[in-house]
Amino acid sequence: MIALACDHSGIELKKEIMAMLDAMGLTWKDFGTYDTASCDYPVYGYRAAKAVASGECDRGILICGTGIGIGIAASKVRGIRVCSCSDVYSAELSKRHNNSNILTLGARVVGIDLAKMIATHWLTAEFEGGRHQRRVDLLTAIENGEEL
Ligand code: RB5
């Protein structure tokens, strides 16, 4: 189950991502916002990130104007590793090396076709583990207040 969320700027792209996920046979849950009325991205980023952190959803795709604000909001939730991507290489490597569990996209930065390509690369990439697991564990240690 993929958590989806956006602010007012991301409604159109979120609908495109929903259709793409349907075509891929992947299930999703929409945590809002649901229309183009101006709203505050932290609310929706937080709700979707909580669903990923709790295990209700496996991963999430969040959208705001730049992908930055909603990514910062999601990053505040323990256990969340966000990648804010405008290119396919970063999206794929963020999964293979960082085991990112939330992708954020900037609806005012990338076109719809590129955004869908970025999301596809991120969704289909696999975490490589090994030395990357050690580094991800260190990220968790930071989150737990440990000294490195
Ligand atoms: C909303 O205008 C805009 O600030 C928001 O979508 C996002 O880009 C924030 O990071």
Side-chain angles (χ1 to χ4, degrees), residues 7-9 41 64-70 108:
D7 72 358
H8 50 280
S9 68
Y41 58 80
C64 67
T66 58
I68 303 294
I70 205 161
R108 295 172 178 161

Side-chain angles (χ1 to χ4, degrees), residues 9-109:
S9 68
I11 289 288
E12 185 190 357
L13 177 55
K14 187 170 70 176
K15 286 181 183 161
E16 294 279 349
I17 295 288
M18 287 170 173
M20 188 191 87
L21 295 176
D22 288 343
M24 295 171 83
L26 297 173
T27 56
W28 48 265
K29 181 172 178 179
D30 185 10
F31 290 86
T33 189
Y34 303 106
D35 58 44
T36 54
S38 183
C39 67
D40 299 327
Y41 58 80
V43 174
Y44 306 99
Y46 170 74
R47 289 176 183 169
K50 283 285 280 189
V52 173
S54 73
E56 178 188 355
C57 294
D58 316 302
R59 48 198 168 162
I61 299 177
L62 316 184
I63 305 161
C64 67
T66 58
I68 303 294
I70 205 161
I72 293 172
S75 294
K76 302 291 181 190
V77 176
R78 180 178 291 274
I80 294 300
R81 292 177 301 279
V82 170
C83 63
S84 299
C85 295
S86 302
D87 69 278
V88 295
Y89 180 83
S90 302
E92 184 174 324
L93 268 289
S94 79
K95 171 57 78 176
R96 287 169 50 188
H97 290 186
N98 316 119
N99 203 15
S100 58
N101 50 13
I102 287 191
L103 165 69
T104 72
L105 298 164
R108 295 172 178 161
V109 179

Side-chain angles (χ1 to χ4, degrees), residues 13 16-17 20 105 111-121:
L13 177 55
E16 294 279 349
I17 295 288
M20 188 191 87
L105 298 164
I112 284 172
D113 284 355
L114 176 56
K116 287 163 67 175
M117 200 178 288
I118 291 167
T120 300
H121 277 253

